[in-house]
Amino acid sequence: QGERLQKLLAATGYGSRRVCEDLIAAGRVSVNGAVAILGRRVDVDNDLVEVDGAPIGVRPDFVYYLLNKPVGVVTTSRDTHQRQTVIDLVPLEPRVFSVGRLDVDTEGLLLLTNDGNLANRIAHPSHGIEKEYLVEVAGGPMSAGSIRALRDGVLLDDGMTAPARVSQPDPGVLRLTIHEGRNRQVRRMCEAVGHRVTRLVRTRIGPLSDR
Ligand code: URA
């Protein structure tokens, strides 16, 4: 089943079949994160093939925008209230869509692309891609007990949240990392421990960060 790795690499422009075999033998090629052996077959639509840690098969007709979304801009592609959308902030062609979403009152990183495979890999909850947020809360510094509750999981109306990483770099400012993506999750988590969110910025999506 699938395409032989050396053939795929050669077809993608990494050199002759022989050169590509050497790349594999040298341990420079991985499939889904594990070093590949010669003769390995891959499913081009689903396996992630990397050479020296860089994904192959990035086609020239694919575009990727890492947008710093401002407050007040909506993530949907067409807003019924005539508000500005994230799609209005990037070139019209080629048409892109957002991978996941941010609330209108949330700022920070949002990925826009026309690469449906990548979008599915990132957005699918089973992959548990980490998202990191900087959160300013009302109601003063958060107590150690509340932070522990956020770490362990809090009960929302759609169930318990999974364990999260939470720190308080400044009083009333949290750095929070989750790998679920429920609607308004960060805001609801903080409200569950008695703090309203006054500013929410996404600072990382998996390996993509604003630093
Ligand atoms: N959590 C929220 O509450 N809002 C977002 O926009 C993203 C995560």
Side-chain angles (χ1 to χ4, degrees):
Q1 288 286 303
E3 183 106 71
R4 276 194 198 284
L5 194 50
Q6 56 268 36
K7 187 172 168 210
L8 174 69
L9 289 172
T12 320
Y14 280 86
S16 67
R17 195 81 66 89
R18 180 65 219 281
V19 165
C20 292
E21 286 172 2
D22 288 346
L23 276 178
I24 298 167
R28 292 171 58 189
V29 182
S30 68
V31 178
N32 303 327
V35 172
I37 55 165
L38 209 53
R40 163 86 205 238
R41 286 179 184 274
V42 291
D43 172 351
V44 290
D45 289 326
N46 292 302
D47 289 327
L48 173 65
V49 179
E50 293 170 302
V51 177
D52 296 333
I56 70 150
V58 175
R59 291 176 13 196
D61 51 340
F62 284 159
V63 295
Y64 307 86
Y65 302 114
L66 187 58
L67 185 74
N68 184 14
K69 185 185 106 48
V71 166
V73 177
V74 293
T75 303
T76 42
S77 55
R78 197 172 295 149
D79 187 57
T80 44
H81 306 290
Q82 314 291 317
R83 290 176 298 189
Q84 194 176 35
T85 78
V86 293
I87 302 299
D88 297 329
L89 300 179
V90 298
L92 217 59
E93 296 290 335
R95 292 186 71 82
V96 293
F97 50 88
S98 75
V99 181
R101 49 183 303 283
L102 290 176
D103 303 331
V104 63
D105 40 357
T106 301
E107 308 160 57
L109 298 186
L110 185 71
L111 185 63
L112 304 176
T113 184
N114 56 354
D115 179 348
N117 264 323
L118 179 87
N120 288 335
R121 287 211 303 271
I122 291 184
H124 201 277
S126 70
H127 291 107
I129 297 283
E130 286 190 344
K131 288 136 198 149
E132 189 176 300
Y133 298 87
L134 211 49
V135 194
E136 286 180 14
V137 295
M142 202 176 271
S143 69
S146 295
I147 290 175
R148 202 172 320 119
L150 290 178
R151 282 188 189 133
D152 293 347
V154 289
L155 184 61
L156 304 180
D157 53 19
D158 52 359
M160 288 294 286
T161 59
R165 276 210 302 282
V166 187
S167 63
Q168 187 165 219
D170 281 307
V173 178
L174 306 179
R175 192 170 282 286
L176 194 146
T177 306
I178 58 175
H179 53 80
E180 304 171 284
R182 301 196 219 163
N183 192 30
R184 296 182 76 81
Q185 181 168 345
V186 174
R187 292 173 197 279
R188 291 191 292 135
M189 285 172 74
C190 292
E191 270 157 29
V193 294
H195 291 261
R196 192 170 51 81
V197 169
T198 53
R199 188 175 179 200
L200 181 56
V201 185
R202 182 150 71 187
T203 56
R204 187 166 65 83
I205 307 168
L208 306 172
S209 91
D210 65 358
R211 273 164 285 174

mmCIF file of all heavy atoms in Angstrom, residues 1 7 22 24 46 53 68 76 79 85 127 131 157 160 187 196:
data_model
loop_
_atom_site.group_PDB
_atom_site.id
_atom_site.type_symbol
_atom_site.label_atom_id
_atom_site.label_comp_id
_atom_site.label_asym_id
_atom_site.label_seq_id
_atom_site.Cartn_x
_atom_site.Cartn_y
_atom_site.Cartn_z
ATOM 1 N N GLN A 1 0.843 -1.198 0.000
ATOM 2 C CA GLN A 1 0.000 0.000 0.000
ATOM 3 C C GLN A 1 0.877 1.247 0.000
ATOM 4 O O GLN A 1 1.880 1.315 0.679
ATOM 5 C CB GLN A 1 -0.897 0.023 1.246
ATOM 6 C CG GLN A 1 -2.024 -0.977 1.223
ATOM 7 C CD GLN A 1 -3.145 -0.567 0.274
ATOM 8 O OE1 GLN A 1 -3.709 0.502 0.391
ATOM 9 N NE2 GLN A 1 -3.451 -1.403 -0.691
ATOM 10 N N LYS A 7 10.765 7.036 -4.019
ATOM 11 C CA LYS A 7 10.117 7.459 -5.257
ATOM 12 C C LYS A 7 9.379 8.781 -5.042
ATOM 13 O O LYS A 7 9.447 9.710 -5.857
ATOM 14 C CB LYS A 7 9.136 6.361 -5.709
ATOM 15 C CG LYS A 7 8.536 6.623 -7.071
ATOM 16 C CD LYS A 7 7.743 5.426 -7.563
ATOM 17 C CE LYS A 7 6.920 5.813 -8.778
ATOM 18 N NZ LYS A 7 5.688 5.061 -8.891
ATOM 19 N N ASP A 22 19.901 7.634 -0.443
ATOM 20 C CA ASP A 22 20.977 8.013 0.477
ATOM 21 C C ASP A 22 20.451 8.900 1.615
ATOM 22 O O ASP A 22 20.871 8.765 2.764
ATOM 23 C CB ASP A 22 22.094 8.753 -0.283
ATOM 24 C CG ASP A 22 22.904 7.800 -1.180
ATOM 25 O OD1 ASP A 22 22.758 6.568 -1.001
ATOM 26 O OD2 ASP A 22 23.659 8.292 -2.037
ATOM 27 N N ILE A 24 17.522 8.790 2.899
ATOM 28 C CA ILE A 24 16.805 7.915 3.834
ATOM 29 C C ILE A 24 17.802 7.122 4.676
ATOM 30 O O ILE A 24 17.695 7.059 5.911
ATOM 31 C CB ILE A 24 15.851 6.968 3.070
ATOM 32 C CG1 ILE A 24 14.791 7.782 2.327
ATOM 33 C CG2 ILE A 24 15.195 5.973 4.027
ATOM 34 C CD1 ILE A 24 13.991 6.994 1.296
ATOM 35 N N ASN A 46 -2.045 11.227 3.962
ATOM 36 C CA ASN A 46 -2.191 11.218 5.416
ATOM 37 C C ASN A 46 -0.894 11.197 6.208
ATOM 38 O O ASN A 46 -0.875 11.612 7.360
ATOM 39 C CB ASN A 46 -3.057 10.025 5.844
ATOM 40 C CG ASN A 46 -4.480 10.193 5.384
ATOM 41 O OD1 ASN A 46 -5.127 11.178 5.731
ATOM 42 N ND2 ASN A 46 -4.953 9.270 4.569
ATOM 43 N N GLY A 53 13.637 17.554 9.126
ATOM 44 C CA GLY A 53 12.654 18.228 9.977
ATOM 45 C C GLY A 53 11.698 19.158 9.243
ATOM 46 O O GLY A 53 10.817 19.744 9.856
ATOM 47 N N ASN A 68 -1.972 38.015 13.075
ATOM 48 C CA ASN A 68 -2.142 38.516 14.438
ATOM 49 C C ASN A 68 -3.494 39.217 14.472
ATOM 50 O O ASN A 68 -3.604 40.391 14.156
ATOM 51 C CB ASN A 68 -1.001 39.477 14.784
ATOM 52 C CG ASN A 68 -1.077 39.956 16.218
ATOM 53 O OD1 ASN A 68 -1.819 39.397 17.030
ATOM 54 N ND2 ASN A 68 -0.329 40.990 16.533
ATOM 55 N N THR A 76 -15.433 34.317 11.144
ATOM 56 C CA THR A 76 -16.248 33.744 10.064
ATOM 57 C C THR A 76 -15.956 34.460 8.749
ATOM 58 O O THR A 76 -15.586 35.628 8.733
ATOM 59 C CB THR A 76 -17.760 33.888 10.362
ATOM 60 O OG1 THR A 76 -17.983 35.184 10.885
ATOM 61 C CG2 THR A 76 -18.218 32.839 11.335
ATOM 62 N N ASP A 79 -19.636 37.941 7.598
ATOM 63 C CA ASP A 79 -20.339 38.322 8.817
ATOM 64 C C ASP A 79 -21.671 38.956 8.478
ATOM 65 O O ASP A 79 -21.775 39.816 7.620
ATOM 66 C CB ASP A 79 -19.499 39.299 9.634
ATOM 67 C CG ASP A 79 -20.150 39.578 10.978
ATOM 68 O OD1 ASP A 79 -20.380 38.606 11.722
ATOM 69 O OD2 ASP A 79 -20.473 40.738 11.257
ATOM 70 N N THR A 85 -13.935 40.856 8.702
ATOM 71 C CA THR A 85 -13.582 39.468 8.996
ATOM 72 C C THR A 85 -12.087 39.267 8.749
ATOM 73 O O THR A 85 -11.448 40.070 8.064
ATOM 74 C CB THR A 85 -14.356 38.470 8.110
ATOM 75 O OG1 THR A 85 -13.751 38.452 6.813
ATOM 76 C CG2 THR A 85 -15.824 38.834 7.998
ATOM 77 N N HIS A 127 -5.637 15.240 17.572
ATOM 78 C CA HIS A 127 -4.211 15.542 17.515
ATOM 79 C C HIS A 127 -3.749 16.378 18.700
ATOM 80 O O HIS A 127 -2.555 16.480 18.958
ATOM 81 C CB HIS A 127 -3.846 16.234 16.196
ATOM 82 C CG HIS A 127 -3.977 15.314 15.024
ATOM 83 N ND1 HIS A 127 -5.004 15.423 14.114
ATOM 84 C CD2 HIS A 127 -3.247 14.254 14.649
ATOM 85 C CE1 HIS A 127 -4.876 14.464 13.208
ATOM 86 N NE2 HIS A 127 -3.832 13.733 13.510
ATOM 87 N N LYS A 131 -2.509 25.008 22.341
ATOM 88 C CA LYS A 131 -2.700 26.430 22.104
ATOM 89 C C LYS A 131 -2.390 27.161 23.399
ATOM 90 O O LYS A 131 -2.873 26.768 24.462
ATOM 91 C CB LYS A 131 -4.135 26.731 21.670
ATOM 92 C CG LYS A 131 -4.433 26.253 20.257
ATOM 93 C CD LYS A 131 -5.752 25.583 20.208
ATOM 94 C CE LYS A 131 -5.905 24.720 18.983
ATOM 95 N NZ LYS A 131 -6.779 23.573 19.281
ATOM 96 N N ASP A 157 -20.285 23.821 31.474
ATOM 97 C CA ASP A 157 -21.595 23.225 31.178
ATOM 98 C C ASP A 157 -21.504 22.135 30.104
ATOM 99 O O ASP A 157 -22.444 21.368 29.920
ATOM 100 C CB ASP A 157 -22.661 24.285 30.860
ATOM 101 C CG ASP A 157 -22.218 25.245 29.773
ATOM 102 O OD1 ASP A 157 -21.275 24.896 29.029
ATOM 103 O OD2 ASP A 157 -22.809 26.339 29.674
ATOM 104 N N MET A 160 -16.046 18.450 32.049
ATOM 105 C CA MET A 160 -14.767 18.818 32.663
ATOM 106 C C MET A 160 -13.755 19.195 31.591
ATOM 107 O O MET A 160 -13.727 18.594 30.512
ATOM 108 C CB MET A 160 -14.191 17.621 33.436
ATOM 109 C CG MET A 160 -14.898 17.273 34.721
ATOM 110 S SD MET A 160 -14.733 18.555 35.986
ATOM 111 C CE MET A 160 -13.029 18.323 36.501
ATOM 112 N N ARG A 187 -12.198 31.709 28.379
ATOM 113 C CA ARG A 187 -13.049 32.637 29.132
ATOM 114 C C ARG A 187 -13.914 31.881 30.138
ATOM 115 O O ARG A 187 -14.062 32.288 31.294
ATOM 116 C CB ARG A 187 -13.960 33.418 28.173
ATOM 117 C CG ARG A 187 -13.192 34.369 27.295
ATOM 118 C CD ARG A 187 -14.072 35.021 26.233
ATOM 119 N NE ARG A 187 -13.246 35.594 25.193
ATOM 120 C CZ ARG A 187 -12.643 36.762 25.278
ATOM 121 N NH1 ARG A 187 -12.784 37.509 26.347
ATOM 122 N NH2 ARG A 187 -11.869 37.193 24.287
ATOM 123 N N ARG A 196 -13.417 37.113 35.574
ATOM 124 C CA ARG A 196 -13.797 37.487 34.215
ATOM 125 C C ARG A 196 -12.526 37.810 33.432
ATOM 126 O O ARG A 196 -11.579 38.389 33.964
ATOM 127 C CB ARG A 196 -14.709 38.720 34.271
ATOM 128 C CG ARG A 196 -15.419 39.066 32.983
ATOM 129 C CD ARG A 196 -16.481 40.145 33.242
ATOM 130 N NE ARG A 196 -15.926 41.293 33.980
ATOM 131 C CZ ARG A 196 -15.233 42.272 33.396
ATOM 132 N NH1 ARG A 196 -15.025 42.278 32.100
ATOM 133 N NH2 ARG A 196 -14.753 43.274 34.120
#
